[in-house]
């Protein structure tokens, strides 16, 4: 896992060719390395987008309208959870609660907390992000 973290830290994701190198270095099959990469959600198989939106899936966010925020994000971005826009400028991924529940429902934009959000505020945020992208 440490080798995979190092690769991702260097490239921002884990390229397929790097999985083969890690497998050979650790004397593992490429299938085992691929299994680890796809099992752990923090590993990426594609280059990260310029702007990454993390949707909080924690219980407080869900109670305060987080599911609606998610639906708006997917509709406005035209992508599903775990996907990037075709131009790789914006991406949406599932995030876990980080204890900033006072901002629920919230997202993280490149790691920065944005919230509390309503459906309308989410539409406005996504449109601003698209303009900047």
């Amino acid at each position: 896992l440490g080798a995979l973290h190092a690769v991702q830290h260097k490239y921002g994701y884990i390229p397929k060719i790097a999985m083969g190198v890690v497998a050979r270095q650790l004397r593992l099959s490429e299938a085992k390395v691929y299994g680890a990469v796809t099992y752990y959600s923090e590993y990426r198989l594609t280059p990260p987008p310029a702007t990454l939106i993390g949707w909080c899936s924690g219980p407080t966010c869900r109670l305060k309208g987080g599911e609606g925020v998610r639906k708006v994000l997917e509709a406005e971005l035209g992508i599903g959870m775990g996907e990037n826009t075709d131009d790789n400028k914006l991406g949406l991924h599932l995030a876990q609660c980080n204890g900033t529940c006072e901002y629920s429902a919230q997202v993280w934009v490149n790691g920065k907390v944005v919230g509390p959000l309503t459906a309308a505020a989410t539409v406005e945020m996504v449109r601003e992000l698209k303009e900047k992208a």
Side-chain angles (χ1 to χ4, degrees), residues 26-41:
L26 298 177
R27 295 185 182 109
L28 299 169
S29 71
E30 286 188 42
K32 285 193 181 231
V33 174
Y34 179 80
V37 170
T38 56
Y39 179 78
Y40 293 102
S41 63

Side-chain angles (χ1 to χ4, degrees), residues 41-111:
S41 63
E42 69 266 15
Y43 293 130
R44 300 183 53 81
L45 291 170
T46 58
T51 301
L52 184 60
I53 302 167
W55 173 75
C56 182
S57 62
T60 303
C61 282
R62 287 179 183 259
L63 286 170
K64 291 191 170 190
E67 290 295 333
V69 168
R70 177 184 177 161
K71 289 177 184 174
V72 169
L73 288 167
E74 291 175 334
E76 287 292 314
L77 292 168
I79 58 176
M81 194 61 61
E83 296 178 346
N84 299 340
T85 55
D86 289 339
D87 59 8
N88 207 39
K89 290 185 178 179
L90 296 164
L92 178 61
H93 78 106
L94 180 67
Q96 299 300 318
C97 179
N98 70 357
T100 55
C101 300
E102 64 271 22
Y103 300 107
S104 298
Q106 66 183 285
V107 298
W108 299 284
V109 178
N110 289 337

